[in-house]
Amino acid sequence: MLTASRRGIDVTLASCIAPAKRNTPVLTGTAQGSIQFRPSIISGRGVTGIWGSFAVNYFIWLEIGARGRPGHFMLRRSADENYPKLARNIRAQLARAA
């Protein structure tokens, strides 16, 4: 079950990347290139996975807005679109293991 959960989380997080990159404003491509996920890990009795912008300090201001500029919410919108698919992705991994 933990392995299927880990794989299902990885599929879900990977599916968040392309929409988030597509919705990120492009000036130099640095912000887009910083959107990644890290493979999930089994920790104790659970599974943890992370994704988002890595190593771009100003990304938060693109996401939420600053100094009168509206936020783009590219990570939030991608999460809202893809997170509901998590249970289906885990079930698919369980079916593959059976």
Side-chain angles (χ1 to χ4, degrees):
M1 181 63 165
L2 287 174
T3 300
S5 295
R6 186 182 58 75
R7 289 180 179 157
I9 288 171
D10 287 347
V11 167
T12 303
L13 297 182
S15 67
C16 289
I17 303 303
K21 286 186 177 204
R22 191 171 42 251
N23 293 319
T24 301
V26 178
L27 296 176
T28 64
T30 302
Q32 275 186 332
S34 74
I35 300 172
Q36 306 168 18
F37 86 98
R38 301 291 188 253
S40 59
I41 59 169
I42 298 172
S43 55
R45 295 177 59 190
V47 180
T48 304
I50 60 171
W51 76 285
S53 172
F54 293 84
V56 172
N57 296 332
Y58 62 85
F59 196 93
I60 185 69
W61 306 119
L62 293 173
E63 178 76 11
I64 66 173
R67 295 186 180 170
R69 294 184 181 126
H72 296 277
F73 300 100
M74 47 276 179
L75 299 179
R76 167 76 336 191
R77 288 187 289 157
S78 187
D80 288 346
E81 175 186 332
N82 289 288
Y83 282 16
K85 301 172 188 173
L86 176 60
R88 182 186 73 201
N89 291 336
I90 293 173
R91 278 194 298 274
Q93 294 301 318
L94 282 170
R96 286 183 67 199

